[in-house]
Amino acid sequence: AEYMGEAVKASGADVVFNHRESGYEQQIAAAFNNEGADIILENAAHVNLGRDLPLLAKGGVCVVVGSRGPVEINARDLMQREAFLTGVMLRAATDAELCEAYDAIESGLASGKLLPLVARQFKMEEIHTAHEHLISQPGGAAGRFVMMVNHD
C-alpha cells in the first residue's frame, strides 16, 4: 500500500491517504484545514462511502467508481454539506462518450500529460505467473500488468 501511495504521488497527486491506516480521516481533515475535500473518487464504496461523506467540503462531490456490495450511508452527511453523490460506470457510456474519452486519452498519452503506470510486463507463456502475482498483491497492484502478445 505504501508503494501505491508513492506511485500516485509520482503521477501528480498533491496528497495521498491510505484508508487502511488508523486515523486517516483526521489526516484528511487536517490536510484540508477541516473544510473538507472538494472531490473524492471512491473505488470501494461498499467499505468506505459512509466514512467518505463527512470528509466532503460544502458543495463537494463524491464519485463512486467501484463497489462490490450494498452501502449504508447517513443522508445528513450529504445534506449538511449540500454535497453531491454520483456514480460512474464505463459500461453505461454511449459510443460517442467512449470515442470522446478515447480521443482524450490518446491526446494525453501523445502529449505526455498521461503517463501510464506499468507495474510488470509478462510474456503470454507467463500468464499463470501473472495471475498469481496479481492476486497476491495485498493492497492491490500499483500499476497495470501488461501481457505482451508479440515479443522478441
Side-chain angles (χ1 to χ4, degrees), residues 34-104:
N34 292 314
E35 294 180 16
D38 293 324
I39 300 172
I40 295 176
L41 300 177
E42 182 51 70
N43 194 45
H46 62 292
V47 176
N48 300 316
L49 188 59
R51 295 184 300 204
D52 289 341
L53 300 182
L55 299 172
L56 284 170
K58 182 172 177 66
V61 180
C62 183
V63 182
V64 176
V65 296
S67 184
R68 294 185 182 169
V71 174
E72 184 175 322
I73 65 166
N74 183 346
R76 286 179 173 261
D77 291 330
L78 288 169
M79 296 161 53
Q80 290 169 339
R81 291 160 185 78
E82 297 182 340
F84 301 88
L85 175 62
T86 190
V88 176
M89 183 175 280
L90 188 58
R91 288 185 296 208
T94 66
D95 288 344
E97 290 169 330
L98 290 173
C99 286
E100 183 180 350
Y102 293 147
D103 288 345

Side-chain angles (χ1 to χ4, degrees), residues 1-20 41 43 113-119 139-144:
E2 183 61 35
Y3 170 70
M4 194 176 291
E6 292 305 316
V8 171
K9 283 183 185 175
S11 295
D14 293 324
V15 291
V16 178
F17 305 97
N18 183 346
H19 71 268
R20 291 182 176 94
L41 300 177
N43 194 45
K113 289 183 179 179
L114 290 179
L115 301 172
L117 179 60
V118 177
R144 298 293 179 199

